[in-house]
Amino acid sequence: MSSISTESSSNLSLLENGGGGSDKPTAETSRRVRRTVSASSLIRKRSDLKLISRVRWEFMRRILTNLQEVLLGTKLFILFPAVPLAVVAHRYDCPRAWVFALSLLGLTPLAERISFLTEQIAFHTGPTVGGLMNATCGNATEMIIAILAVGQRKMRIVKLSLLGSILSNLLFVLGTSLFLGGISNLRKHQSFDPRQGDMNSMLLYLALLCQTLPMIMRFTMEAEEYDGSDVVVLSRASSFVMLIAYLAFLIFHLFSSHLSPPPPPLPQREDVYDDDVSDKEEEGAVIGMWSAIFWLIIMTLLVALLSDYLVSTIQDAADSWGLSVGFIGIILLPIVGNAAEHAGAVIFAFRNKLDITLGIALGSATQIALFVVPVTVLVAWTMGIEMDLNFNLLETACLAMSIIVTSLVLQDGTSNYMKGLVLLLCYFVIAACFFVSNSPSTETNTTNHTITKR
């Protein structure tokens, strides 16, 4: 449920602009920051502060302005009532499937608001600090859900939700964007910087290797000799490797992006930072830094509360709706929870700004694979719980084929609706697979042991 900021890769464009090391942006850098960070402004709406300006007391004006900007400053504000309704439904023992549905709907605007607040802080802290915040907090919702599921020892839900977020970004978000963008720009040449796809594909292949080896090790061991300990040790080592790769990725874009060769010339290329950016994309900070930090804490706590409801009721929702937990975790959770992010990627594709579209989709997938997944494994370790990177054969095969197909689609730096259609069809096949799959919701074939101290 990644927020709609131009996460990771597109945020790393923001990081590049701050490569000079100064947290005080210049005028040109600030202009670039506004254009990069405000990708999520596409689903925000301008606040009418005329009535608030008539309030006599400045303190009250500030409070009302914050409420207006934070709660009503998004087109998704209509979903905010789902948050208190989920709490009431849980408190008064309503059907648990209702609690699950309301929690899922409530997480959608909360995830978008976390993105908004992170961007507001970035306006005040400069491009470098702001970019790092986006690079680490861009998928805060997925991380919170995963950690809470680990705490409840529901390892299969952890792995399904993380895998579903990666597949959703690679196939559904990117596929929908390329398909609809290609249909709406039939008479235009659609192109993007292929370096972005190359870098993210390389990192995704590394994450795939780190997640495949534990599964292969499991199959190479004799059943009577397998106790899971070796796979867990390998998974923890692989987690450190992925975190090192992600950290190096950030450092490279912060300080060494000039080492990359210039992109090949592409005809009729539209720069994502052209001068015809709308006024809406030129917005600056609308609330103060400390107000943004305060609201960010509030939104994060609400996300944690609803995520706890979500994890504890997913099995009941699956039983009530006649769906497998695998289908809900891999397909339903990412689609509904990432609705805001999906909308932003598609709108940018409509505008023929594919570099930002790729930043949203590929950046989020890379961040989950190289940051959220290993952090979850290491957090489980600190909690005394053994979690490995064995995602099982079916799930790992889906991930591998998705990464391969995506990298092939993006290798030439051009786009058309046929490429988007292929990605969508791949996603629909995977969805059909998990829809008919009756894989157990219990922790079969999944390491989940509590460490006992001697």
Side-chain angles (χ1 to χ4, degrees):
M1 295 169 203
S2 177
S3 54
I4 188 185
S5 65
T6 53
E7 294 173 302
S8 218
S9 291
S10 57
N11 283 335
L12 291 172
S13 298
L14 180 151
L15 288 175
E16 293 177 30
N17 296 329
S22 173
D23 287 342
K24 297 290 186 181
T26 63
E28 175 62 22
T29 301
S30 298
R31 190 163 67 94
R32 287 290 184 96
V33 171
R34 286 198 296 272
R35 291 178 178 178
T36 303
V37 170
S38 61
S40 52
S41 64
L42 294 173
I43 60 169
R44 295 178 190 153
K45 61 192 185 91
R46 292 182 179 275
S47 300
D48 187 359
L49 303 177
K50 292 181 180 179
L51 292 177
I52 296 178
S53 63
R54 297 177 182 177
V55 177
R56 181 177 304 177
W57 300 281
E58 182 179 356
F59 178 73
M60 287 298 300
R61 283 202 304 271
R62 290 183 178 179
I63 294 177
L64 293 175
T65 299
N66 285 338
L67 291 173
Q68 174 82 8
E69 295 290 352
V70 175
L71 300 181
L72 301 179
T74 173
K75 297 175 183 178
L76 299 175
F77 77 95
I78 193 173
L79 296 179
F80 270 120
V83 177
L85 288 176
V87 176
V88 172
H90 180 269
R91 175 67 178 81
Y92 291 98
D93 297 326
C94 292
R96 294 174 68 81
W98 292 12
V99 178
F100 177 86
L102 290 171
S103 300
L104 189 58
L105 290 176
L107 282 173
T108 302
L110 291 177
E112 192 277 331
R113 290 290 85 184
I114 287 180
S115 168
F116 163 75
L117 294 168
T118 304
E119 292 173 4
Q120 293 300 302
I121 296 174
F123 282 117
H124 296 283
T125 58
T128 301
V129 177
L132 288 173
M133 285 193 61
N134 274 324
T136 53
C137 301
N139 290 281
T141 306
E142 284 93 339
M143 186 178 298
I144 292 173
I145 291 177
I147 293 176
L148 290 174
V150 166
Q152 298 184 24
R153 289 170 171 74
K154 296 184 177 181
M155 298 301 168
R156 178 165 174 77
I157 294 177
V158 175
K159 296 178 179 180
L160 289 175
S161 64
L162 294 177
L163 177 64
S165 294
I166 298 174
L167 296 180
S168 173
N169 280 287
L170 290 180
L171 299 180
F172 184 71
V173 179
L174 187 58
T176 304
S177 301
L178 297 185
F179 177 73
L180 296 180
I183 294 294
S184 64
N185 294 279
L186 283 174
R187 299 179 181 275
K188 296 181 180 179
H189 180 88
Q190 288 194 291
S191 60
F192 52 86
D193 187 350
R195 295 178 301 172
Q196 185 172 198
D198 292 342
M199 177 66 74
N200 282 278
S201 296
M202 177 179 63
L203 294 172
L204 287 171
Y205 279 123
L206 172 62
L208 176 63
L209 175 66
C210 292
Q211 295 176 26
T212 302
L213 290 180
M215 182 195 68
I216 296 176
M217 175 179 283
R218 168 67 182 89
F219 281 106
T220 57
M221 291 182 175
E222 297 293 337
E224 59 272 10
E225 298 177 356
Y226 176 72
D227 61 359
S229 59
D230 293 337
V231 175
V232 171
V233 172
L234 175 60
S235 298
R236 291 170 179 170
S238 299
S239 297
F240 282 112
V241 170
M242 288 190 283
L243 286 177
I244 292 173
Y246 186 70
L247 179 62
F249 182 41
L250 296 181
I251 293 175
F252 177 80
H253 280 277
L254 270 171
F255 306 110
S256 307
S257 58
H258 62 281
L259 299 177
S260 298
L266 293 170
Q268 301 179 13
R269 178 185 169 93
E270 291 189 13
D271 196 298
V272 298
Y273 297 125
D274 51 12
D275 292 329
D276 63 350
V277 180
S278 64
D279 292 338
K280 189 173 183 180
E281 291 180 87
E282 290 286 348
E283 291 178 349
V286 294
I287 61 176
M289 184 178 71
W290 292 109
S291 297
I293 293 174
F294 170 78
W295 281 108
L296 182 61
I297 295 173
I298 297 297
M299 295 296 173
T300 304
L301 292 176
L302 289 176
V303 167
L305 177 65
L306 295 189
S307 299
D308 184 58
Y309 293 166
L310 203 71
V311 171
S312 61
T313 58
I314 187 172
Q315 181 61 57
D316 300 279
D319 296 338
S320 176
W321 298 340
L323 300 173
S324 66
V325 173
F327 182 81
I328 293 179
I330 287 185
I331 306 300
L332 191 59
L333 278 178
I335 288 180
V336 178
N338 289 345
E341 180 182 33
H342 299 174
V346 172
I347 292 173
F348 275 119
F350 266 108
R351 297 182 178 182
N352 203 15
K353 297 180 183 294
L354 295 182
D355 288 291
I356 301 181
T357 295
L358 263 64
I360 295 174
L362 293 181
S364 181
T366 302
Q367 187 180 46
I368 294 171
L370 283 180
F371 182 72
V372 179
V373 170
V375 165
T376 303
V377 173
L378 298 180
V379 169
W381 186 10
T382 63
M383 297 169 65
I385 299 173
E386 294 185 349
M387 176 183 173
D388 60 26
L389 291 176
N390 177 12
F391 279 59
N392 295 334
L393 182 59
L394 176 61
E395 289 83 349
T396 304
C398 291
L399 177 62
M401 296 307 300
S402 299
I403 294 175
I404 293 173
V405 171
T406 302
S407 62
L408 290 175
V409 164
L410 301 177
Q411 64 180 351
D412 63 351
T414 63
S415 174
N416 53 64
Y417 67 88
M418 189 61 198
K419 291 185 176 182
L421 180 61
V422 169
L423 294 179
L424 283 176
L425 292 177
C426 291
Y427 189 72
F428 291 150
V429 170
I430 293 176
C433 175
F434 284 97
F435 181 80
V436 301
S437 173
N438 293 319
S439 56
S441 60
T442 55
E443 315 307 326
T444 57
N445 298 325
T446 304
T447 303
N448 180 18
H449 305 295
T450 302
I451 299 175
T452 56
K453 296 183 179 181
R454 297 181 179 180

